[in-house]
Amino acid sequence: MCIRDRLDAGRGDEIMEMDFIYCPDTRVAAESVVSYYREDPMMDTPTVLGETSVPTLVVVAGADTTVTDLEARMADRVEDDHIEMTVVSGADHMFRDLFLYDAADAATAFIGWN
C-alpha cells in the first residue's frame, strides 16, 4: 500500500519499511514521510533565518550533492548583520573525514572560543 493510500485510509501512523532521508532500509510512519517531504517554508534555512535576529553561522558543504544550492540561496541572508556563512570546500553533505574539523574551527571562531 502506498503512502497516500495509507493516509487516505486513516493509517498514517502505520510503520512501513523504506529508505528515508539518509537511512537506507529503515522503519518509518507514513505521516512522518509526508511531514518531512512536504513543502514547508519553516524547513528552509534561508527562510527561517529571515525570521530571527539570533547570531547565526551557516556552514555550507562545498561539494554537497544533496543540498546543492544553499550557498546561492544564502546570498541575501548574509547581508543581514547577524548571519555569517562559511563554505568548507570539498566537504560533502555529512562533512566526512577532516572536513568536520574545518566546520568545527569555523564554529569555534564564530562563538569566540580559543
Side-chain angles (χ1 to χ4, degrees):
M1 179 179 281
C2 75
I3 292 171
R4 177 59 50 207
D5 291 342
R6 289 172 201 258
L7 293 173
D8 290 346
R11 296 169 46 190
D13 60 345
E14 187 173 289
I15 302 297
M16 53 193 197
E17 292 187 19
M18 63 181 289
D19 295 343
F20 183 59
I21 308 177
Y22 306 107
C23 303
D25 194 30
T26 193
R27 296 169 41 92
V28 64
E31 291 170 337
S32 296
V33 174
V34 172
S35 173
Y36 184 79
Y37 286 110
R38 75 174 186 262
E39 289 290 325
D40 183 352
M42 295 311 292
M43 290 186 68
D44 178 65
T45 299
T47 300
V48 173
L49 290 176
E51 303 295 320
T52 183
S53 60
V54 175
T56 304
L57 172 67
V58 176
V59 182
V60 177
D64 193 341
T65 58
T66 303
V67 181
T68 58
D69 61 347
L70 183 57
E71 182 177 5
R73 292 180 50 244
M74 285 296 301
D76 289 339
R77 288 290 150 239
V78 295
E79 300 295 322
D80 298 343
D81 291 337
H82 65 286
I83 297 174
E84 291 184 32
M85 179 180 69
T86 189
V87 177
V88 178
S89 297
D92 66 8
H93 190 72
M94 297 298 191
F95 291 88
R96 290 182 174 94
D97 302 321
L98 298 176
F99 298 114
L100 180 59
Y101 292 107
D102 293 338
D105 287 345
T108 56
F110 178 76
I111 60 177
W113 285 2
N114 294 323

